[in-house]
Amino acid sequence: MSTEFYNINAKDFYERTVSLDIKNLYEPFLERIEKKAHILDAGCGSGRDTKYFLDQGYKVSAFDASSEMVKLASALTGEPIKTKMFHEMTEENVYDGIWACASLLHVPLQDLQETMQVMNRSLKQGATFYASFKLGSIERQKEGRHFTDLNEDTLKTIINKIDNIQLDQTWITEDVRNDKTEEWLNALMTKY
């Protein structure tokens, strides 16, 4: 399972991702969220994005399924980050935005709609939901991790089945890691 991979490889993954510059992804998300609003970093990994949002003056809650990643992210951010899975979310109408950067891609396709529905319930009306997936159309296992690669059509089909959410924008970006050539599907959604 993907969680075990991150527990075993937490330090290496942290070192490879903590300093990546993804400001071009933050900007369209933060343009839609008022200053000091409450953001959930869902599947926060290294804590890089949590720290960035905190540094910009936002209130941030964060969690990750990997207890080892949570330790590193907590140390980086100085915040109490929780260890939990997406399906364990019980909050309702709490967040002004959800940031799920390269995290929902580990959810099996058959569970993705339900997972996103659970997450959407935690958003306030009018809130923004960002998610990113590796661009593609297959489910695969790689190095002990599960990946659900999505294209725009599959993502639209999933989102159209979720209550009270609309897909506003999708765009494709190149991987910012020097040793990777993958493309990413990015999506911004609004809860209504």
Side-chain angles (χ1 to χ4, degrees), residues 125-137:
Q125 187 173 1
T128 297
F129 191 154
Y130 168 84
S132 62
F133 299 87
K134 292 185 181 194
L135 183 64
S137 58

Side-chain angles (χ1 to χ4, degrees), residues 106-168:
H106 294 306
V107 176
L109 183 60
Q110 68 182 16
D111 300 330
L112 196 52
Q113 176 192 333
E114 182 179 340
T115 299
M116 291 179 74
Q117 181 71 62
V118 166
M119 296 172 75
N120 192 48
R121 283 187 203 116
S122 74
L123 286 170
K124 297 175 184 174
Q125 187 173 1
T128 297
F129 191 154
Y130 168 84
S132 62
F133 299 87
K134 292 185 181 194
L135 183 64
S137 58
I138 60 170
E139 286 188 86
R140 58 194 167 87
Q141 302 292 322
K142 182 179 179 187
E143 300 170 349
R145 292 179 288 176
H146 176 93
F147 288 96
T148 299
D149 299 344
L150 293 185
N151 58 40
E152 188 175 6
D153 290 338
T154 306
L155 180 62
K156 281 181 182 175
T157 299
I158 292 166
I159 292 170
N160 285 339
K161 295 176 184 174
I162 299 172
D163 297 333
N164 305 317
I165 194 168
Q166 69 183 29
L167 179 62
D168 298 323

Side-chain angles (χ1 to χ4, degrees), residues 12-45:
D12 179 58
F13 185 80
Y14 175 91
E15 289 172 355
R16 288 188 295 117
T17 60
V18 72
S19 61
L20 293 176
D21 182 1
I22 61 166
K23 286 190 181 93
N24 64 323
L25 299 180
Y26 298 143
E27 289 169 3
F29 175 69
L30 294 178
E31 284 172 1
R32 301 162 55 116
I33 299 175
E34 292 183 26
K35 285 290 185 188
K36 300 186 180 182
H38 193 179
I39 296 172
L40 173 67
D41 189 353
C44 69

